[in-house]
Amino acid sequence: MSFGAFKRKSPYIVGNWKMHKNVRESLVYLDNLAPHLAKSQAEVGLAVPFTALIPVIQKVKEMNLPIHIGAQNMSDYPEGAFTGEVSGEMIYDVGATFVILGHSERRHFFKEDDAYVNRKVKRAIKENLDVILCVGETLEARSENKVKVSLEEELKGSLEGLLEDHFQRICIAYEPIWAIGTGRVAKPEEAEQAHIYIRDTIKAMVGPEVSEHTRILYGGSVKPETAAGLLAQPNIDGLLVGGASLSAQSFGSML
Ligand code: PEP
């Protein structure tokens, strides 16, 4: 199952567990999420810690759950002497279908810049993984009216050299940094405006066909109460949910 382009009609809702949940907790979560998945009209994904990938994927297969399982990061190298790293091939090998790249926590805490993210995106596509590429402006950029410039810079840098076909594997997540984990969600119209900038930038990079079909998700303190208002915007094609995805009940209620 590949996501990305040509599937904007159904919303895509992805949970990002970050560094939460051991194996036992992950498996209990799936039991609790299953009834919500059965009723969901959205396409659903979960980005879990590396250590949970194998047991979660096994259980998803056993229970025949309609959900994509992915990782939250990967190396830009295919293999080699890189202690502590995990390659795209390893992620694909255990049955994961996607990877989140360029998350602001990786950009900030681990100093990942656009060039590095770009190498990872290219590597992920080579390894047959779909990519959720995160971009988003700081509070400072927003207050200086530099949202558009900042999004353009991240998009052009992170997607440099990618061709139209590659976009079939790419979803963009607009995640304003001031909204991540802060409880401060962007207003739906504010997010919609940024999604329009992103679509316009993709159009300028690879043309209208691709930009029209690329899914752009919103992420940043989404809660069950705010999900519907965001999804009602024409250019918001889904959600990337951190904190509120940690409880199967709250994530399930968004589906
Ligand atoms: C995220 O980390 O991708 C995210 C959106 O987090 P939160 O929902 O907790 O703001």
Side-chain angles (χ1 to χ4, degrees):
M1 271 194 299
S2 180
F3 58 70
F6 312 119
K7 290 173 83 182
R8 275 186 68 199
K9 283 201 176 85
S10 59
Y12 187 39
I13 303 187
V14 183
N16 173 16
W17 284 355
K18 311 193 186 194
M19 199 172 71
H20 293 283
K21 298 194 190 297
N22 61 26
V23 170
R24 186 188 53 77
E25 291 162 341
S26 305
L27 299 181
V28 170
Y29 181 101
L30 289 181
D31 284 328
N32 295 331
L33 189 67
H36 297 279
L37 286 172
K39 287 186 280 177
S40 170
Q41 296 191 0
E43 192 171 339
V44 184
L46 262 187
V48 307
F50 289 131
T51 48
L53 279 174
I54 293 175
V56 162
I57 289 166
Q58 262 168 9
K59 184 153 175 146
V60 161
K61 280 191 189 139
E62 275 160 31
M63 295 175 77
N64 201 18
L65 299 177
I67 185 167
H68 304 279
I69 302 298
Q72 304 166 15
N73 181 35
M74 56 166 264
S75 170
D76 59 329
Y77 284 97
E79 65 177 347
F82 302 105
T83 302
E85 289 289 85
V86 176
S87 74
E89 193 274 330
M90 292 165 180
I91 294 167
Y92 182 78
D93 178 55
V94 298
T97 55
F98 75 95
V99 61
I100 295 178
L101 295 175
H103 191 281
S104 64
E105 285 153 15
R106 302 242 25 119
R107 291 179 188 263
H108 178 69
F109 296 119
F110 303 98
K111 308 287 174 253
E112 295 191 6
D113 61 11
D114 290 332
Y116 188 29
V117 174
N118 181 242
R119 292 198 297 278
K120 292 188 184 205
V121 173
K122 288 176 173 159
R123 172 58 47 201
I125 291 172
K126 276 204 182 96
E127 303 294 358
N128 296 312
L129 290 167
D130 293 333
V131 172
I132 298 181
L133 171 72
C134 302
V135 294
E137 80 284 358
T138 59
L139 189 57
E140 197 186 5
R142 179 157 282 269
S143 59
E144 289 172 1
N145 264 330
K146 289 188 182 150
V147 177
K148 204 173 170 178
V149 182
S150 146
L151 291 175
E152 258 185 50
E153 192 180 309
E154 275 191 323
L155 284 165
K156 289 188 174 158
S158 306
L159 296 174
E160 203 269 319
L162 292 178
L163 307 174
E164 279 181 42
D165 279 359
H166 297 143
F167 278 78
Q168 300 221 16
R169 289 207 168 270
I170 296 174
C171 257
I172 308 295
Y174 168 60
E175 299 215 304
I177 295 170
W178 46 271
I180 297 180
T182 59
R184 192 178 154 195
V185 63
K187 293 191 194 81
E189 313 71 47
E190 224 169 18
E192 169 70 5
Q193 200 53 52
H195 283 226
I196 293 172
Y197 292 156
I198 292 172
R199 210 173 287 294
D200 284 349
T201 306
I202 294 173
K203 186 173 170 186
M205 290 171 71
V206 275
E209 175 80 8
V210 171
S211 79
E212 255 321 293
H213 290 104
T214 298
R215 269 177 167 163
I216 307 175
L217 318 181
Y218 168 80
S221 293
V222 181
K223 300 277 177 299
E225 314 80 79
T226 48
L230 288 157
L231 286 172
Q233 298 295 320
N235 283 284
I236 300 186
D237 309 313
L239 304 169
L240 181 54
V241 186
S245 74
L246 291 176
S247 138
Q249 177 58 38
S250 104
F251 188 56
S253 72
M254 291 188 213
L255 307 183

